[in-house]
Amino acid sequence: MLSNKPYLLRAFYQWIVDSDCTPILSMNANHPKLKIPTEFIDGDEVLFNISPTAVRDLKILNDTIEFKAAFSGVIHIISAPFKAALGVYAEENGEGIYFDADELDEDESDSGSVVQLREIDTGYAQNPEVSEIESIPPTEKPRPTLKLVE
């Protein structure tokens, strides 16, 4: 099965852009196949504003992230293997998706790595025979729900 990480990153990128926020791509600056101007690397992580107005020709493929960006007025082609991506988040509020760095250090030939989605522990028993929750103890938080915001 294909890795779900590129799909999740593309979805969160689109969600951030659609929310009129600035998407910031976090990359592992130490990845050996990362192709960026070295004078802009500061530490182990490099951040890119990948909003549609900041970069051109953004491609988030299943194995590569590519785009054109200007540094000090000079346009550079940025190319990185997807495994160098640490996540994407909105600059305004920090909401986004982040990948564990240790998951990214796997063998390059492993194309089947996936983000394991975890169940939220709400304290409620998962019993298919029970159709409604009769009482909620006052100390517990209500069950999370998905809300569509327009």
Side-chain angles (χ1 to χ4, degrees), residues 8 29 61 71 93 117 126 147:
L8 292 169
L61 305 173
F71 294 92
N93 58 18
L117 302 177
Q126 298 295 326
K147 294 180 187 177

Side-chain angles (χ1 to χ4, degrees), residues 6-123:
Y7 299 91
L8 292 169
L9 192 108
R10 282 191 292 267
F12 272 86
Y13 166 80
Q14 192 62 54
W15 172 65
I16 292 167
V17 170
D18 289 350
S19 299
D20 293 325
C21 292
T22 307
I24 303 296
L25 176 66
S26 173
M27 303 289 282
N28 177 357
N30 297 322
H31 196 283
K33 294 184 180 179
L34 181 65
K35 295 177 184 170
I36 61 171
T38 56
E39 61 268 21
F40 299 104
I41 297 176
D42 184 25
D44 294 337
E45 182 180 18
V46 61
L47 303 176
F48 295 102
N49 173 349
I50 57 169
S51 67
T53 58
V55 300
R56 291 185 182 175
D57 303 328
L58 175 66
K59 296 177 191 168
I60 303 174
L61 305 173
N62 288 353
D63 59 350
T64 309
I65 299 171
E66 296 177 349
F67 55 91
K68 294 176 185 171
F71 294 92
S72 301
V74 178
I75 294 178
H76 294 273
I77 297 174
I78 307 300
S79 177
F82 189 83
K83 290 191 180 262
L86 298 174
V88 65
Y89 62 91
E91 182 178 46
E92 291 77 4
N93 58 18
E95 290 190 40
I97 188 165
Y98 307 91
F99 303 122
D100 293 333
D102 59 336
E103 291 178 5
L104 300 172
D105 293 334
E106 299 166 352
D107 179 43
E108 289 289 324
S109 65
D110 178 21
S111 62
S113 64
V114 296
V115 173
Q116 295 298 319
L117 302 177
R118 296 176 192 93
E119 181 179 336
I120 298 173
D121 183 16
T122 59

